[in-house]
Amino acid sequence: MGYLDPDVAASVGQLATGGPAGRVRLNGREILASTTQLVGATWGENHRNVLIALTMMYVEDGRDGTVGASLTKLARLLYGHGAGGEAYKMIARAAHDLYRGELTIEGFDVTTGQTPPGFYSRTRLLIDLVWHEDLERVFQGTLRGREEIGQRIGGARGRNTMRWRFHPAYAERIDTAEVVSLDWARLRALNGVAQGLWIQLSAPRFQFAPLLERPGFERLELLLDEPVYHAFGVHARQDRDRRRTLNRAGERIMDVDPAYEAFEAHGGKSVPSRLVVVR
C-alpha cells in the first residue's frame, strides 16, 4: 500500500504537468486551488510515483522526517520484480528532481502554517538527499550500462543505497494527517490523466455524497470549466476533447478499480459540461 499526504494527493494533476493554474469548486465551496508553482525541475508521472514510494517508506520506517531504503526495494515496489539498472536510474533521477524542485506557494506561510494574504513561501518537499557512491558515478557519467549499474547497485540491496529527509512541515503533515492510502497494483496499472485523477479522487477534499437510493454508493458531480480541467491535468483546447480525455481516463479507472461504477463527463454547446462519478 502506498501513502501520500492528502493535500499533495488532491493537487497531483497540477504539480505533474506544470500547466496553467486550476481551481475546483463543489457546492459553491472551493476545494482545490492551484496556488503552488514548481521551479527548478519538471515533475512528471514517474516523479509522482517516486514521491508516493518515498512517503510510504517514511510512514513505515521513518522518524523525524528521515528514512532510507535500497534502490532494489524501491524498484520492486514501483515497477515489480525484475526491475534493474534502468529502473534504478529512473528512481534516482526522479528523487534528484524532487529535491531540486522549489515550490512557491501564494498566500501561505510555511513557517507558521498560517494563510496570510500578500505573502509567498518558497520551500521544498525534500531538503536532503544522500546516496551511494555508485549513484553519484551514474550522475557523473563514469558508471554506465544497464547491466553494470544493475549489478553494482543491485548488489547493495541489504543497505540503504539512498536516504532522504522531508521538509519538517511535510513530515509533520505525514505524521499528523490522515494519509491517503493507494493500492500499488492499481497505481502501476494506471498512467497519465487516469492515474492522476484516481489519486485526486482518493483525497478527502473531494467529498462524495451518499446515494440515498443505493445504500453503500456515493456520487460526485462537478461543473467542468477551464480551471477544473487544468486542476485535473487536462489541457486540450476544445471542450469536447477535454471531456473525451476525462471519459477515457474514467473508463481506465473503472477497468482497474472495481469500486468505481460510473464515470461520465458530458455537456454540449448549449449545456454546461459536468463530471459525474459514482463509486
Side-chain angles (χ1 to χ4, degrees):
M1 191 69 70
Y3 303 108
L4 198 59
D5 170 80
D7 288 340
V8 174
S11 58
V12 293
Q14 299 167 90
L15 289 179
T17 62
R23 293 178 182 271
V24 179
R25 299 182 67 86
L26 178 62
N27 297 330
R29 181 175 61 88
E30 188 171 271
I31 60 172
L32 181 60
S34 176
T35 59
T36 303
Q37 292 182 328
L38 178 65
V39 181
T42 301
W43 291 358
E45 183 177 315
N46 192 53
H47 299 81
R48 179 166 66 203
N49 293 343
V50 169
L51 178 60
I52 293 171
L54 299 185
T55 304
M56 170 189 170
M57 295 294 180
Y58 178 72
V59 169
E60 293 185 345
D61 300 312
R63 183 177 180 181
D64 297 328
T66 304
V67 71
S70 71
L71 280 183
T72 301
K73 184 175 182 179
L74 285 167
R76 286 180 176 174
L77 178 64
L78 284 159
Y79 310 114
H81 288 276
E86 195 61 34
Y88 300 154
K89 288 196 296 183
M90 290 172 62
I91 294 169
R93 286 171 179 160
H96 187 249
D97 287 342
L98 288 169
Y99 165 75
R100 289 176 57 238
E102 174 188 286
L103 300 176
T104 300
I105 309 173
E106 178 185 352
F108 181 73
D109 185 339
V110 72
T111 63
T112 64
Q114 302 300 311
T115 55
F119 282 83
Y120 286 76
S121 290
R122 290 192 172 184
T123 188
R124 286 179 166 85
L125 293 180
L126 285 182
I127 59 173
D128 291 306
L129 185 60
V130 180
W131 54 35
H132 191 272
E133 62 179 349
D134 286 331
L135 274 176
E136 186 63 24
R137 291 178 61 200
V138 170
F139 271 82
Q140 297 295 332
T142 59
L143 179 60
R144 302 176 181 176
R146 182 173 58 185
E147 291 185 5
E148 184 179 2
I149 293 172
Q151 291 172 357
R152 296 279 300 185
I153 298 176
R157 67 184 62 191
R159 304 194 303 271
N160 288 341
T161 45
M162 190 169 73
R163 293 184 61 80
W164 59 94
R165 178 169 19 222
F166 286 119
H167 189 284
Y170 184 64
E172 184 179 5
R173 283 281 305 167
I174 300 172
D175 291 335
T176 60
E178 187 72 26
V179 291
V180 175
S181 300
L182 302 165
D183 181 86
W184 271 111
R186 292 170 184 164
L187 189 71
R188 286 196 294 261
L190 295 167
N191 56 42
V193 173
Q195 186 193 73
L197 191 54
W198 180 73
I199 295 172
Q200 288 176 287
L201 293 178
S202 301
R205 287 196 193 185
F206 290 88
Q207 297 180 357
F208 285 66
L211 272 178
L212 299 179
E213 66 274 19
R214 299 188 65 186
F217 286 85
E218 53 187 8
R219 183 178 187 271
L220 174 72
E221 182 173 347
L222 294 173
L223 179 67
L224 291 172
D225 55 17
E226 192 165 351
V228 174
Y229 285 122
H230 290 163
F232 289 147
V234 178
H235 303 294
R237 291 188 177 184
Q238 299 296 324
D239 195 51
R240 64 176 180 275
D241 295 328
R242 295 169 177 173
R243 292 196 304 269
R244 185 179 297 115
T245 298
L246 284 179
N247 283 326
R248 287 174 177 170
E251 290 173 3
R252 184 60 186 149
I253 289 172
M254 289 188 291
D255 287 341
V256 169
D257 190 343
Y260 287 86
E261 185 173 276
F263 195 111
E264 182 184 6
H266 58 86
K269 291 183 178 180
S270 58
V271 180
S273 294
R274 293 183 177 274
L275 174 66
V276 177
V277 183
V278 176
R279 66 183 183 188

